[in-house]
Amino acid sequence: MAPLREFLTLSDEQREIQRLARDFAQTELAPHAAAWDREAHFERSLISRLGALGFLGMLVPESDDGMALDAVSYLLVLEEIAAVDASTAVMLSVHNSLPSRMLLAHGTASQRERFLRPMARGELLGAFALSEAEAGSDASALRTQATRDGDAYVLNGTKSWVTHGNNAGVILAMARTDTPETRRGARGISAFIVTPGQPGFSVGKKEDKMGLRASPTVQLVFDNLRVPADQMLGEPGQGFIYALQSLEHGRLGIAAQAVGIGRAALEHAVRYAAERRQFGRPIREFEAMQFKLADMAARVTQARAVLYAAATAKDRGDPIQQLSSIAKLTASEMAMWVTTQAIQVFGGYGYVKDYPVERFFRDAKVTEIYEGTSEIQRLVIARELYAS
Ligand code: CAA
């Protein structure tokens, strides 16, 4: 991964999966990423193509048709994909970290058979619906209501900011199963396995975004949507806890995405600084440029080190709530800073769409926002400092 040397101690299998992801990104994504971004085009064929590589079942055991990768390998894949196309990286991160992990951790054998296994094979894309218009950072304030009616729950409400919700075959949706009379806060929320194409299910507004334009973000509207009772996931009232558990893993995925974006911005800047001549010499020969590139390299390396330290802790089975927030905070703020510097290296050419750094800059911003803003990551980190 020139120009930075690999400093991680990787097994042969980990190097192999890293190479597989890098080759896929270079051959299948690099030629199209700029156009998909420009046209806000979601390339649906990626679902089956990524599925064929096993990339939609990375954390799922082989017995459920997955690849059973360790966390380090999984994040290496996301980093390589994000270094070329961050939109595809978020698709992989959401699908693998959130709905797949929730089903794996809490699904019954029958739910795993019907939903998780086809997801792992790349036949169904999974989405995660937690946020609502009035429940973003304060996620447990969500209002979508699920009311028991015979052998089903009837869902009413609108979910916001759902990554690829208009292309998903399975949506893990959090809804209240308490009532205004029996409000139980975070403990009044349950998780449901929702499938599209039913009466009462519709896709609402598609967002017109600054970045990650090739990854659609939509509202999902549930209007008296009947969800069979056997499609509740796990225990009633535990849905918010399950969502937060899966977000611990999700935040590592977003950190890997941010590391990929930052690393790619650095690589492009290093190359450009060697080619671009001003005042009779390549701009890399100016100390101001060398210091800037050095700081970028240092920040990318720091974020990468924290990310894979957190992944290693995860693979050891250690608690990672605080570490995953530290990794996401470090990596996303790095990505925003490094992509800003990369634009500065490119000067006017960084401000136009001729080079990918402009896209990287736009893509980086959301890593400071979704799966918990930087402010929420600081809150989680600070709370843990006082946890007994
Ligand atoms: N694992 C297990 N349980 C957890 C947990 C975790 N990581 N974090 C909290 N809990 C438990 C708490 O112990 C508590 O349990 P009790 O009821 O027994 O006390 C319960 O969950 C509620 O927790 P809090 O009291 O801490 O809840 P809170 O309302 O104060 O807020 C928060 C917690 C950290 C602010 C949380 O709301 C949060 O993370 N907000 C950010 C929302 C977010 O990340 N949204 C992501 C949207 S999805 C997305 O972006 C995906 C995409 O498409 C890209």
Side-chain angles (χ1 to χ4, degrees), residues 61-74:
E62 289 174 5
S63 54
D64 277 325
D65 297 339
M67 260 185 145
L69 293 185
D70 54 74
V72 170
S73 305
Y74 168 58

Side-chain angles (χ1 to χ4, degrees), residues 144-214:
T144 293
Q145 188 70 44
T147 309
R148 184 74 189 240
D149 179 29
D151 59 357
Y153 283 87
V154 179
L155 268 59
N156 280 290
T158 300
K159 294 307 213 178
S160 300
W161 311 114
V162 185
T163 296
H164 57 233
N166 54 341
N167 284 278
V170 178
I171 298 133
L172 265 288
M174 271 43 77
R176 307 212 73 86
T177 40
D178 57 3
T179 62
E181 295 73 46
T182 63
R183 274 283 173 261
R184 300 201 58 220
R187 296 276 176 177
I189 296 169
S190 303
F192 293 90
I193 305 166
V194 169
T195 52
Q198 318 291 332
F201 177 96
S202 61
V203 175
K205 181 182 177 211
K206 178 173 181 256
E207 305 296 343
D208 186 6
K209 295 182 298 180
M210 170 195 284
L212 288 192
R213 292 178 55 78

Side-chain angles (χ1 to χ4, degrees), residues 15-170:
R15 281 185 197 288
E16 186 52 40
I17 197 87
Q18 185 186 41
R19 199 163 25 242
L20 183 67
R22 190 177 298 159
D23 290 349
F24 181 85
Q26 287 304 333
T27 56
E28 308 286 326
L29 302 176
H32 309 290
W36 290 341
D37 169 71
R38 201 167 44 244
E39 293 153 20
H41 169 74
F42 176 70
E43 180 55 40
R44 257 197 82 87
S45 72
L46 284 174
I47 302 173
S48 54
R49 284 149 68 202
L50 290 163
L53 289 176
F55 285 177
L56 292 182
M58 285 191 269
L59 302 171
V60 175
E62 289 174 5
S63 54
D64 277 325
D65 297 339
M67 260 185 145
L69 293 185
D70 54 74
V72 170
S73 305
Y74 168 58
L75 298 170
L76 287 168
V77 170
L78 292 185
E79 180 191 338
E80 291 304 324
I81 300 288
V84 173
D85 182 16
S87 288
T88 301
V90 76
M91 169 169 87
L92 288 174
S93 180
V94 167
H95 171 98
N96 282 285
S97 288
L98 303 178
S100 299
R101 283 196 64 84
M102 284 177 80
L103 280 162
L104 185 60
H106 307 290
T108 61
S110 146
Q111 289 169 342
R112 292 210 313 272
E113 173 71 31
R114 285 176 61 204
F115 304 109
L116 181 61
R117 295 182 68 169
M119 284 167 68
R121 293 193 295 266
E123 293 160 14
L124 294 175
L125 187 61
F128 179 79
L130 174 66
S131 305
E132 298 178 4
E134 304 296 329
S137 289
D138 187 7
S140 67
L142 65 87
R143 290 196 201 150
T144 293
Q145 188 70 44
T147 309
R148 184 74 189 240
D149 179 29
D151 59 357
Y153 283 87
V154 179
L155 268 59
N156 280 290
T158 300
K159 294 307 213 178
S160 300
W161 311 114
V162 185
T163 296
H164 57 233
N166 54 341
N167 284 278
V170 178

Side-chain angles (χ1 to χ4, degrees), residues 131 137 140 163 187 241 244 248 251 321 370-372 383:
S131 305
S137 289
S140 67
T163 296
R187 296 276 176 177
I241 312 284
L244 287 183
E248 284 183 15
R251 288 167 182 167
Q321 183 174 13
Y370 62 16
E371 298 209 16
R383 278 184 181 182

